[in-house]
Amino acid sequence: MPTIDREAAPATAVAALPALVAALAGRRGLALALAVAPVGVALFFRDPDRRPEHGGFDADTVVSPADGKVMFAGPGQDGVAPEGEWQQVSIFLSAFDVHINRAPYGGRLREVTYRPGRWLAAYKHESAHRNERTDLVIEREVDGATRVVHFRQIVGLMARRVVTRVSVGDELATGQRIGLMKFGSRMDVFVPPEVDLLVRTGQRVVAGETVIARWPSSDVTA
């Protein structure tokens, strides 16, 4: 049985109510059928271990912060990317994907900015700046230069809450858990233009394991 995140408790309890009502009414068959719902909801919050866990990547490696499918990989899109020049990887999470999010890059968390918003379908371009979201910025000193990775948790049509469990000043390891998004949603990662993107549109990625980008080698270990 996989580990279940604590955020599952209230949602699973609500999903279990119809089965409980049916059981109290003596409708055993219906209660058993309805019991599938809370099990499915609980499994949505599954939190599998990933290897390597909390580190093991070199300082040039950027990993996927989420399970899902790459829906864009290329130059930063207008209206989506932060101000400046960036490379962008956008990942769509369906309701069937693991929704635990992980740090794409190790370093000090410089910014955490929550923005309320709408719940447009996460695959739509405008969801990046109109939906509820949290922007996070990590910085790290490598060979006397400061590297910056910007990433964003974005809720979708089904997702109605973003959960961020890290704070400004935290030191994060590449692949470390940082929070989750409830139900179908989206993650965007932005890296500087000199970083090589290693994924393509349509590719499946795994949080904390799939390498999505890499800096030119610095020979520095994470």
Side-chain angles (χ1 to χ4, degrees), residues 95-169:
F96 300 102
D97 287 311
V98 171
H99 274 57
I100 299 297
N101 303 147
R102 294 173 179 268
Y105 191 63
R108 187 182 68 86
L109 196 54
R110 189 181 75 190
E111 297 176 26
V112 179
T113 306
Y114 168 78
R115 294 179 174 86
R118 300 180 63 185
W119 300 288
L120 302 174
Y123 55 80
K124 290 187 175 182
H125 179 88
E126 59 268 30
S127 69
H129 58 89
R130 297 180 66 182
N131 282 18
E132 177 180 338
R133 61 204 183 275
T134 296
D135 283 84
L136 303 98
V137 180
I138 289 176
E139 63 179 12
R140 178 177 187 163
E141 295 292 326
V142 179
D143 291 343
T146 301
R147 293 179 174 180
V148 177
V149 173
H150 187 130
F151 62 112
R152 182 182 295 149
Q153 299 172 289
I154 308 169
V155 300
L157 184 63
M158 293 176 61
R160 295 303 170 110
R161 185 185 172 200
V162 60
V163 177
T164 307
R165 293 175 175 158
V166 289
S167 304
V168 171

Side-chain angles (χ1 to χ4, degrees), residues 25-94:
R27 304 283 300 277
R28 295 181 60 187
L30 179 60
L32 286 173
L34 292 173
V36 173
V39 173
V41 170
L43 287 176
F44 169 84
F45 292 93
R46 63 196 183 278
D47 182 11
D49 285 335
R50 294 287 163 79
R51 295 290 184 267
E53 194 76 15
H54 287 198
F57 297 99
D58 63 33
D60 300 325
T61 301
V62 182
V63 302
S64 178
D67 288 18
K69 180 181 288 188
V70 176
M71 61 184 198
F72 178 82
Q77 295 175 310
D78 291 340
V80 176
E83 184 177 350
E85 294 188 14
W86 298 92
Q87 299 261 57
Q88 174 183 335
V89 176
S90 295
I91 301 163
F92 177 74
L93 295 78
S94 77

Side-chain angles (χ1 to χ4, degrees), residues 176-190:
Q176 179 177 334
R177 294 174 176 87
I178 59 96
L180 72 154
M181 296 175 291
K182 293 188 175 181
F183 305 101
S185 41
R186 167 178 173 170
M187 290 286 295
D188 287 346
V189 182
F190 307 97

